[in-house]
Amino acid sequence: MSASVSQNTEIKNMSLFKLGWPIFVQSLLSMCLGYIDTIMLSKFSDEAVGGIGNANQIMGFLTLAFSIIASATGVIVAQYIGAKVKEKLNEIYTVSITFNLVLSGVISLIILLGCNGIVKLMKVPDAMAPYARDYMMIVGGFMFLQAIFDTFSQIFRSNGKTQIGMIIAIIMNLVNIAGNYCFLYGPLKFLDFGVKGVAVSTTLSRVFAVIAAIIFFIIKIDGTISPKYLVPFPKDILKKLLKLGIPTAGENISYNIAQLIIMIFVNSFNSTVFTNTKIYCNILSNFAYLYSISAAMATAIIVGHAVGAKEEDYAYTKVLRTLKGALLISVAIACISFVISPLTLGIFSRDPAVIRLGQKIMFICIFLEVGRTTNLVIINSMRAAGDVKFPTYLGMASMWGISVLLGYILGIQFNLGLTGIWIAMALDEIVRAVVVHIRWLHGGWRGKSVVDKLAQA
């Protein structure tokens, strides 16, 4: 036990850079996993790009069902370790993996059998619909692989082993790139699989990721996943995971539902220019907050351990210090992205209309980034401290009241199109950022540690 305590003390006192840089690389590579498909297919077919963009939007929403347990696992494990309590960790590991495997298996089956209806519901343009269906049927049919990996990833991070996720992400990208090349341009091109080949490559990369995650867990984590921890079934653990996880994932669920509605707005214009510009600008703008994501996740690990150890003042100061640096860097990257956007958009498309519209969107992204960075850092830390309900309620009110409603008014009623929709999304992020920053300063997140409640279970 003493060795474990020593290790956990080190996690709380680890530098943000040491925890964060592997998360940065993993986030970059994980993001690239989907974007590589888009880039390689952009030379193949514009309609294929739009189809995969819609499919990823849909599947991204469905993955939130199992992120409920994964995110709760991360919070509970970090606080348990910070509090130097290990008695129920093995049960938590086992219940998390088992529950997510069952849930994601059901979701995979739903996607496999219902992808046609889902594509119609999303109003995917006819030219893009076949590609969206093909991609969803293969990648979505094996969604359970992503669920297992996401849960393992949270376990690794909460144990301070952030470099493991980075290593696995490297493996995933190498497999995906090699597979895409073989199916689209290499020795398997004669099969004429196209989008199906890209989907197979993505799925194979996740197979390798799960295998690697299991091996790393056995070697690097002081814990066990075994059916013996399910007999008798620990209902108390599942109940606590759901109680914490549902509000924790609620903000993300609300965000993704809102994004699905916004995608329907964009698709309603029946314009390949609008649809593909949204996809390309999402890719480019995401690079602006990569640092913020990694810094936010690393800080959340530290906050979880600190709150578990009853050191809330330490957590308070750490978050504010992280926020200053994250804002400076992410906004600087957003400005650079706007300046070079004619070149970067040209990587994906040579259509002048796409590039002109994309430049306007990238300018709005500068302002959006201020709000989004603040939300990433503070909301992740609030969750890690056990303050899970407030971000959910705030997110639902802001996303639907500003992002969706105002997006409809500006984009469709005022005929500002994609520009109006993006202005609404930026205002949504900024309003939420102001509110959560005030809450962090005033300490509304304090006194919400889950360790004492769970230890009594």
Side-chain angles (χ1 to χ4, degrees), residues 1-319:
M1 185 70 161
S2 60
S4 176
V5 171
S6 174
Q7 180 191 30
N8 299 332
T9 302
E10 289 176 6
I11 295 174
K12 182 173 67 67
N13 294 318
M14 284 174 69
S15 72
L16 197 65
F17 177 79
K18 187 173 182 180
L19 278 173
W21 79 265
I23 298 177
F24 176 87
V25 176
Q26 181 184 356
S27 299
L28 174 62
L29 293 175
S30 296
M31 190 167 63
C32 286
L33 187 64
Y35 295 164
I36 285 168
D37 291 347
T38 301
I39 292 171
M40 297 183 79
L41 275 171
S42 66
K43 312 301 180 185
F44 178 79
S45 165
D46 284 341
E47 287 75 19
V49 170
I52 283 189
N54 272 281
N56 279 327
Q57 185 94 54
I58 296 165
M59 290 187 295
F61 166 68
L62 292 173
T63 59
L64 291 172
F66 49 80
S67 75
I68 291 173
I69 294 296
S71 58
T73 301
V75 173
I76 294 173
V77 170
Q79 289 196 16
Y80 257 46
I81 295 174
K84 304 173 185 176
V85 177
K86 291 187 60 183
E87 286 77 9
K88 287 199 172 184
L89 282 178
N90 289 339
E91 288 186 8
I92 293 170
Y93 294 153
T94 303
V95 171
S96 298
I97 293 293
T98 303
F99 184 83
N100 263 357
L101 178 59
V102 173
L103 179 61
S104 60
V106 173
I107 293 173
S108 296
L109 187 61
I110 290 172
I111 294 174
L112 192 62
L113 299 177
C115 61
N116 285 330
I118 296 172
V119 168
K120 290 179 182 177
L121 181 65
M122 283 296 297
K123 297 183 179 179
V124 178
D126 292 341
M128 301 176 185
Y131 299 110
R133 282 194 294 268
D134 288 343
Y135 193 81
M136 282 181 62
M137 190 172 293
I138 297 172
V139 176
F142 289 88
M143 186 88 68
F144 63 89
L145 295 170
Q146 187 65 40
I148 297 170
F149 174 67
D150 285 351
T151 308
F152 273 119
S153 185
Q154 289 289 350
I155 292 171
F156 295 145
R157 288 176 180 175
S158 297
N159 279 273
K161 309 290 185 182
T162 55
Q163 71 277 11
I164 294 177
M166 177 189 69
I167 294 169
I168 297 176
I170 292 172
I171 296 172
M172 291 176 71
N173 275 267
L174 290 176
V175 172
N176 192 47
I177 292 170
N180 283 355
Y181 173 78
C182 287
F183 282 111
L184 292 177
Y185 312 110
L188 299 178
K189 181 181 178 181
F190 75 94
L191 295 173
D192 196 27
F193 274 11
V195 168
K196 292 180 181 178
V198 170
V200 169
S201 298
T202 300
T203 301
L204 285 176
S205 71
R206 290 176 176 173
V207 171
F208 279 94
V210 170
I211 293 172
I214 293 171
I215 293 171
F216 275 117
F217 181 86
I218 294 170
I219 296 173
K220 294 291 186 180
I221 300 300
D222 181 18
T224 305
I225 296 174
S226 172
K228 70 181 181 181
Y229 296 112
L230 299 177
V231 182
F233 187 79
K235 296 179 182 178
D236 57 329
I237 295 295
L238 179 59
K239 182 179 178 181
K240 298 297 183 182
L241 282 168
L242 289 172
K243 188 175 181 179
L244 179 65
I246 290 174
T248 300
E251 191 265 346
N252 283 332
I253 290 173
S254 179
Y255 174 80
N256 277 269
I257 293 175
Q259 288 299 306
L260 284 174
I261 299 300
I262 289 170
M263 195 69 183
I264 291 175
F265 292 166
V266 175
N267 286 334
S268 69
F269 291 104
N270 199 25
S271 167
T272 301
V273 170
F274 276 23
T275 301
N276 285 357
T277 300
K278 181 182 186 300
I279 293 168
Y280 299 146
C281 287
N282 275 338
I283 293 173
L284 297 177
S285 66
N286 280 345
F287 284 102
Y289 79 100
L290 267 179
Y291 173 82
S292 300
I293 289 177
S294 56
M297 290 181 176
T299 305
I301 294 170
I302 294 172
V303 168
H305 283 262
V307 169
K310 307 298 183 185
E311 297 182 21
E312 291 181 336
D313 288 341
Y314 179 84
Y316 173 84
T317 304
K318 192 73 174 181
V319 169

Side-chain angles (χ1 to χ4, degrees), residues 317-338:
T317 304
K318 192 73 174 181
V319 169
L320 294 180
R321 196 174 298 160
T322 300
L323 180 59
K324 289 180 182 178
L327 279 171
L328 180 64
I329 294 175
S330 60
V331 173
I333 295 173
C335 291
I336 294 171
S337 295
F338 164 66

